Amino acid sequence: MSTLYVSHPAFADHLTPPGHPERPERMRAVEQALEAETFQALARIEAPLAEAAVATLAHPEAFVEALDRIRPREGSVRIDGDTVMSVGTWEALLRGLGAVTHAVDEVMGGRAQNAFCGIRPPGHHAEQTTAMGFCFFNFVVCAARHAQKKFGAQKVAIVDFDVHHGNGTQAIVWDDPSIMYASTHQMPLFPGTGARSETGVGNIVNCPMRAGDGGDKFREAFDDAIIPSLKTFSPDLIVISAGFDAHKRDPLGGLWLVEEDYSWMTKRLMEVADSHAGGRVVSVLEGGYDLQGLGQSTAAHVRALMRG
């Protein structure tokens, strides 16, 4: 079975104001990185258009309907200082839901070994009833619960290595023992959550790092805390919140990861998936705002998924 790449041109149609770090060029950087000869064997499919109701796997129906009502037919609507809806945002969100659920279908259905969803806007800051931090829908929670609802997955692990803590993901699964959430992230930094003491019902593993920390601290967090917790949890599927803004080039963070760290981490997660989850991994793009760092890191991550 091959690695599946799911994306769509509509992800570049979510427009943000000039100077905004979460910009359409991010998708072009990912696409260009995956055009290399190394990725010729990568199976590719365009993300289908999902029904908005898919978002209710993570959010109340009233919240989804409210976003639908306020979406602009021209110009843009500012949700907060960081989070903006343009005319193309709604389709990007529905394609994002389509990407993650289709990826889960293919991986859980045994037609792909693993998958990477190249989508935007990101989703891990989206709380149940709050769009924030560039995010509107929490795609990784939707993916996890889709696997549970459609395929009967008993336990799903979400692993987040974005430089920012996934406050939305943590909040939504806080009291759900069937979903584990593990995160490496910089503290202090937006959004201010992610202390080691935040453990939910024993299903939350936070490994905060300090500005200036690099690959050694990152690998230590995985080897000492995240990997042992994953093995104990023994998930049926691993979903990755793949944010590449902990790269040393990124303007929004202060960690010093390099491409080799992302490759190493991906392989470590695949080892756990191989031994506990039938090799099933679905990775979903989150942050990454330096275009060179994003492209190179994505390439390293996907190459590792392809067992390259």
Side-chain angles (χ1 to χ4, degrees), residues 77-241:
V77 172
R78 188 173 288 274
I79 305 297
D80 62 24
D82 296 321
T83 314
V84 180
M85 295 186 84
S86 71
V87 175
T89 300
W90 190 248
E91 180 178 348
L93 292 174
L94 299 186
R95 297 282 180 190
L97 293 171
V100 300
T101 52
H102 183 75
V104 169
D105 288 348
E106 294 299 290
V107 171
M108 295 298 292
R111 292 177 294 276
Q113 180 65 74
N114 54 49
F116 177 68
C117 301
I119 70 174
R120 61 178 288 275
H124 72 153
H125 294 310
E127 298 181 345
Q128 279 189 311
T129 60
T130 307
M132 61 178 288
F134 312 161
C135 304
F136 301 87
F137 291 153
N138 198 296
F139 297 111
V140 292
V141 173
C142 290
R145 290 192 168 154
H146 179 70
Q148 293 178 319
K149 182 178 179 181
K150 184 171 180 178
F151 296 95
Q154 297 294 307
K155 293 184 289 185
V156 180
I158 299 172
V159 180
D160 187 337
F161 53 78
D162 194 281
V163 78
H164 304 97
H165 181 249
N167 59 295
T169 307
Q170 175 174 289
I172 296 171
V173 307
W174 181 262
D175 57 0
D176 183 352
S178 73
I179 300 180
M180 172 183 169
Y181 176 67
S183 175
T184 55
H185 49 275
Q186 181 180 331
M187 281 191 77
L189 194 67
F190 177 90
T193 53
R196 292 185 190 277
S197 58
E198 297 167 17
T199 57
V201 289
N203 60 326
I204 309 292
V205 180
N206 282 310
C207 298
M209 301 171 66
R210 288 183 287 214
D213 283 352
D216 55 340
K217 295 292 186 182
F218 177 73
R219 297 182 189 213
E220 183 180 294
F222 264 80
D223 280 341
D224 292 353
I226 292 178
I227 296 299
S229 297
L230 280 172
K231 290 179 177 178
T232 300
F233 186 69
S234 189
D236 302 306
L237 169 70
I238 295 177
V239 178
I240 301 176
S241 267

